[in-house]
Amino acid sequence: MGLSSQGPDGAGVYPLFVANPSLAASDPRESRLLESLFEAAPDSILVVDESGSIIDANPQASRSFGYAVSEMIGQRIEMLVPEVKRPGHARLREAYQSEPLRRPMGRGLDLEARRRDGSTFPVDIMLGPFETEAGRFVTAIVRDVTERRAVERDAARKAAALEEVKSELEAFAYSVSHDLRTPLRAMQGIGLALEEDFSSQLEPQALDYVRRIVAAAKRMDALILDLLAYSRVGRGQSAPRVVDLDAVWAPVRDEFVASHQAVVTLHMPLGYVRGNPSLVAQIATNLMANAVKFVAKGQRPEVEIRSRASNGRVRVSVTDNGIGIDPAHHGRIFGIFERLHGIEQYPGTGIGLALVKKAAEGMNGAVGVESRLGAGSSFWFELEEGEVA
Amino acid sequence: MKNGSEHTLLIVEDDANDRFLIERAFRHARLANPIQMATDGDEAIAYLSGEGRFADRTAHPFPILVLLDLKLPRRSGIEVLSWIRANPKVAALPVVVLTSSPEGTDVRRAYEAGANSYLVKPVAFEGLHRMIESIGLFWLVLSRLPEVGPR
């Protein structure tokens, strides 16, 4: 660098290496390399001497600040600093001389530089000191971060907007859980009171109507509770940690063996995944509930749970002896409120599998199903493998 | 049991259906305690202070136990609870929160404000019956309660 005698703006010589030939690299190849880096750098590069005078600047500095290189040379570096910051900058520059280290300038501060026309722009600055026979110098590499700051501001604004939507949703869920459930409790409670207190005076048909009302209220309450559980997935989640799949599945197995007389085979050890323990447990419970529910009438549910690890992922599959699912429907069964059967046939809210999908995807995982009508189903979820210390 | 009026319960509940169902559950549990109702937070405080129409302590005896809903019009259940605990004359009055909210934040705030117990209203009717029976057994039969309030 500095070997060319003419700047790109035609402003004249770079006097650094003219005045200080000792600064030029002795190896001509190294010299040409440095020159091309200096000329082509997309950041401004300024070389400053001990007194704070600019002794060299690259073409990008000329473009960024609006001065010809020759206009900058010999001037104080403070010419490129906003007026109000100049006295402070001069003081800091002198302090830097007592401890010159290669480091970013003003770490953690929002630095600004000043163009010729007085306008300012945000910058990041890296300082690098070097010494020669001619004295001490500092290279300042100045990067214009206008675009990055704009992107950061935009991201911060979007994050704030998202937070607002989230807290609104939380308020909504809260209100659903309380305000909607109160009248339901009344429908159910007063319906049952009617049945209890007046059963001797009611026709069998009237009693049947009352029971229908109570059953409908119960069903709506189940829907609300499932919907709330769904909305809670991924809300206020803790950082992912290593989850022992055996510890999650064993109690789920015990629960369903007791409640559904299911035959459950757990192929332990299932291994470890990275995720949120309560979400993994919700996935397990919902897949198990799904597996034991859809069996032919009178058949005892049989469920097998096995896992396979590959490429840093663990896939857990839950295979049942149920009625199976026509591949035509595989795409829709993970959608919320999707049901393939009437309520009388197989009760449910159509939220369980949607919750499984949301929980798995919230942990960067995936879900899927393999099944044919009449041949049972195999639902699986896949999560990142957990490293056991 | 002594004179019933000394064993009055105050139920603070804004929902008329819930008031009906709770009262009915008390009847079914054969708890003889007289029940008084307040329908919002301000009324609960007026009752406990013996203000206005509650000044007559024969008709509106000071309660031995309060069942308090949290979500109330005017002053909230938490505000009522804080008022009770901040008022030396009535600060020892046992308060059982009976609400529809299972939220952890509500549970914590209620205990921080000095609740003696926190119960979530069961949706199922039988559940409410069992809960009221348990309240009766624990608080009105087994527990020794403090002598509180202006007699």
Side-chain angles (χ1 to χ4, degrees):
Chain A
M1 62 183 150
L3 295 179
S4 65
S5 60
Q6 203 71 28
D9 52 359
V13 285
Y14 297 142
L16 171 57
F17 304 110
V18 179
N20 303 292
S22 63
L23 291 184
S26 51
D27 178 344
R29 271 184 313 179
E30 202 180 316
S31 225
R32 281 199 299 279
L33 172 67
L34 287 176
E35 182 187 341
S36 88
L37 287 176
F38 193 71
E39 298 286 322
D43 293 334
S44 300
I45 303 177
L46 297 144
V47 183
V48 178
D49 71 9
E50 243 169 318
S51 72
S53 296
I54 299 170
I55 59 168
D56 205 353
N58 71 342
Q60 182 57 45
S62 169
R63 284 193 289 274
S64 285
F65 290 96
Y67 295 101
V69 170
S70 61
E71 288 176 296
M72 289 187 274
I73 285 168
Q75 300 292 320
R76 288 293 157 125
I77 185 73
E78 276 77 25
M79 79 186 292
L80 306 177
V81 176
E83 280 95 335
V84 292
K85 299 278 171 66
R86 281 177 187 170
H89 185 271
R91 269 199 310 281
L92 289 170
R93 179 167 52 70
E94 276 152 32
Y96 181 79
Q97 289 296 347
S98 64
E99 198 192 356
L101 289 172
R102 184 187 303 143
R103 63 168 175 83
M105 183 171 136
R107 209 187 303 253
L109 296 178
D110 283 347
L111 300 177
E112 290 210 307
R114 179 188 189 278
R115 294 191 193 90
R116 172 180 216 146
D117 63 9
S119 61
T120 59
F121 59 102
V123 290
D124 276 354
I125 301 176
M126 189 75 194
L127 300 174
F130 64 98
E131 249 182 289
T132 71
E133 290 154 23
R136 271 184 176 174
F137 299 90
V138 177
T139 309
I141 299 179
V142 181
R143 175 167 297 177
D144 184 338
V145 294
T146 305
E147 275 175 40
R148 200 184 74 206
R149 288 279 153 76
V151 169
E152 283 169 359
R153 264 199 309 276
D154 195 45
R157 208 175 45 238
K158 280 181 181 148
L162 194 64
E163 268 317 300
E164 201 171 308
V165 170
K166 266 170 72 184
S167 64
E168 239 171 63
L169 264 178
E170 261 170 59
F172 178 75
Y174 188 88
S175 135
V176 165
S177 68
H178 302 113
D179 300 352
L180 287 191
R181 294 186 74 204
T182 302
L184 269 184
R185 204 169 44 239
M187 282 167 66
Q188 218 181 317
I190 294 168
L192 282 166
L194 181 61
E195 194 185 330
E196 249 181 56
D197 298 356
F198 297 95
S199 60
S200 60
Q201 296 161 56
L202 287 176
E203 302 276 322
Q205 201 179 1
L207 272 174
D208 177 53
Y209 290 175
V210 172
R211 285 180 193 136
R212 281 169 191 268
I213 292 171
V214 172
K218 273 191 180 151
R219 178 166 154 64
M220 182 159 170
D221 196 53
L223 260 169
I224 290 176
L225 286 178
D226 277 4
L227 206 52
L228 275 176
Y230 181 80
S231 81
R232 264 194 217 108
V233 167
R235 189 147 58 91
Q237 228 186 81
S238 52
R241 46 194 168 105
V242 174
V243 180
D244 179 357
L245 287 170
D246 290 352
V248 168
W249 277 94
V252 175
R253 171 198 56 197
D254 297 345
E255 183 190 332
F256 281 85
V257 167
S259 62
H260 289 75
Q261 285 75 51
V263 181
V264 182
T265 315
L266 265 187
H267 293 274
M268 297 206 268
L270 294 167
Y272 297 83
V273 292
R274 261 182 80 70
N276 174 295
S278 79
L279 288 186
V280 178
Q282 282 192 64
I283 292 176
T285 306
N286 279 287
L287 285 184
M288 188 67 117
N290 192 71
V292 300
K293 191 196 293 179
F294 297 99
V295 286
K297 223 176 166 148
Q299 191 169 17
R300 191 171 184 189
E302 288 168 26
V303 187
E304 257 186 83
I305 294 111
R306 48 165 58 90
S307 75
R308 200 179 68 225
S310 69
N311 294 328
R313 316 267 292 172
V314 176
R315 178 180 285 204
V316 180
S317 58
V318 181
T319 308
D320 63 49
N321 63 335
I323 53 176
I325 305 157
D326 186 333
H329 298 312
H330 288 190
R332 81 179 74 201
I333 51 177
F334 288 100
I336 192 162
F337 297 132
E338 287 286 0
R339 300 174 41 81
L340 301 178
H341 307 278
I343 294 290
E344 282 86 25
Q345 213 178 346
Y346 293 105
T349 57
I351 293 173
L353 289 177
L355 190 146
V356 167
K357 182 170 192 271
K358 190 176 171 193
E361 288 176 355
M363 296 183 284
N364 296 318
V367 293
V369 62
E370 283 151 31
S371 177
R372 276 182 303 117
L373 209 51
S377 305
S378 184
F379 282 84
W380 57 263
F381 68 95
E382 194 179 86
L383 294 170
E384 204 180 308
E385 187 167 15
E387 306 263 334
V388 187
Chain B
M1 222 174 258
K2 287 189 284 179
N3 173 8
S5 68
E6 284 176 29
H7 296 88
T8 298
L9 300 185
L10 177 63
I11 295 174
V12 189
E13 171 60 65
D14 64 315
D15 187 87
N17 290 317
D18 275 351
R19 285 200 299 273
F20 165 74
L21 290 170
I22 292 169
E23 211 170 6
R24 185 172 178 278
F26 268 102
R27 277 203 310 277
H28 273 239
R30 298 187 204 296
L31 291 164
N33 303 64
I35 289 171
Q36 295 279 341
M37 295 282 183
T39 59
D40 63 50
D42 283 358
E43 202 172 271
I45 287 173
Y47 188 103
L48 294 172
S49 322
E51 280 166 9
R53 66 191 176 91
F54 303 114
D56 176 4
R57 281 298 182 205
T58 322
H60 302 284
F62 195 83
I64 56 162
L65 179 71
V66 178
L67 295 191
L68 180 65
D69 191 9
L70 287 188
K71 226 174 144 227
L72 294 169
R74 299 163 191 270
R75 263 182 276 195
S76 73
I78 295 287
E79 284 172 282
V80 173
L81 192 48
S82 305
W83 180 88
I84 292 172
R85 295 297 177 243
N87 191 328
K89 276 188 195 152
V90 300
L93 181 62
V95 176
V96 172
V97 171
L98 181 60
T99 175
S100 57
S101 167
E103 300 282 325
T105 48
D106 283 335
V107 178
R108 204 188 59 243
R109 279 173 58 221
Y111 279 109
E112 276 170 1
N116 297 89
S117 175
Y118 188 106
L119 301 170
V120 178
K121 288 176 195 165
V123 171
F125 186 62
E126 314 81 49
L128 184 66
H129 274 204
R130 272 197 302 278
M131 184 171 278
I132 296 296
E133 264 171 29
S134 305
I135 290 174
L137 179 66
F138 185 82
W139 286 103
L140 305 175
V141 178
L142 295 176
S143 300
R144 289 290 289 267
L145 302 180
E147 298 244 327
V148 187
R151 299 270 157 185

